[in-house]
Amino acid sequence: MSSQDKKKKGRSCWPGVAVILCIAFLAFLIWVHESEIVRNISRFFNVSAAVVSALGVVAYNLRNRVVDFSRYLIDTRKDFEDLAEETIDSCRYLTRLVFFSFISGILCMLAGVCESIWMMGLAGCAFIVSTVAYVHILFSFDKLEGAILNTAVENRRRIEKEKRKQYIQDGIKENPDNF
């Protein structure tokens, strides 16, 4: 399995999780649609509107960090073209997540105001998809940070090796009889 196939497999996993959670939430709503629990769910959406909007803001900040980190990696790694392409894809994904979080926040706010079971179902699914997508981004971002740290360690080792080599060369020049 190539690294590109592994990346695609990891990316295709999270929509399935979101769909399963949405189906479970919709089944729960159908089960409790006649009870007092609906009013409490409506209150939940008042809070979730702020949460999902905050996730959008955080995703936008992550987008900026991805660009900064990728610029560092592009300057220091040989596979800079692949990295640039992945960065563009990641930024597009994060931009869509920011936009979807904004829409999800509006839907959650509407579900908190009107106690329509249909609006709650739509807002709940939007909230679930936004949250699962954000969690997916966090794990992807962790991978990017690992690549940055590995590159920094490789650069440091290279510099230390060059310093040792220069130190030995200087020693040979100063004391040729000792070598």
Side-chain angles (χ1 to χ4, degrees):
M1 181 178 280
S2 70
S3 64
Q4 195 73 357
D5 292 337
K6 288 179 185 176
K7 288 178 192 174
K8 287 182 182 177
K9 183 178 178 184
R11 288 182 185 166
S12 65
C13 163
W14 77 266
V17 171
V19 168
I20 290 169
L21 290 174
C22 286
I23 291 171
F25 177 72
L26 292 174
F28 175 74
L29 273 181
I30 291 169
W31 183 52
V32 299
H33 78 282
E34 293 286 332
S35 69
E36 187 65 28
I37 297 175
V38 172
R39 183 164 279 130
N40 292 332
I41 294 172
S42 179
R43 288 187 199 125
F44 165 77
F45 283 114
N46 287 328
V47 175
S48 67
V51 170
V52 78
S53 297
L55 289 178
V57 171
V58 172
Y60 182 77
N61 290 335
L62 284 177
R63 183 183 181 279
N64 292 334
R65 291 198 61 198
V66 164
V67 171
D68 291 340
F69 285 165
S70 295
R71 284 174 47 198
Y72 167 76
L73 287 174
I74 287 170
D75 289 342
T76 58
R77 296 200 24 188
K78 294 177 184 175
D79 59 343
F80 65 92
E81 290 175 346
D82 293 335
L83 187 62
E85 188 175 309
E86 285 181 31
T87 300
I88 291 168
D89 290 344
S90 297
C91 288
R92 286 182 184 146
Y93 182 85
L94 284 166
T95 300
R96 287 191 299 266
L97 180 59
V98 169
F99 180 72
F100 190 71
S101 293
F102 176 72
I103 299 299
S104 298
I106 291 172
L107 291 173
C108 288
M109 184 178 63
L110 290 173
V113 173
C114 64
E115 293 182 8
S116 165
I117 199 80
W118 298 107
M119 182 57 77
M120 286 183 207
L122 181 63
C125 288
F127 178 80
I128 288 168
V129 170
S130 294
T131 304
V132 170
Y134 182 75
V135 169
H136 174 258
I137 284 295
L138 288 180
F139 285 116
S140 298
F141 197 77
D142 186 49
K143 182 180 172 184
L144 176 64
E145 288 174 333
I148 289 170
L149 292 174
N150 289 338
T151 301
V153 167
E154 289 171 10
N155 289 341
R156 179 63 187 226
R157 285 182 182 149
R158 182 182 43 80
I159 290 169
E160 290 297 322
K161 186 177 179 180
E162 289 172 2
K163 283 182 183 179
R164 283 192 301 271
K165 186 177 178 181
Q166 184 65 38
Y167 180 73
I168 290 172
Q169 289 175 352
D170 291 345
I172 291 172
K173 286 180 187 177
E174 291 176 12
N175 304 309
D177 298 334
N178 292 343
F179 289 94

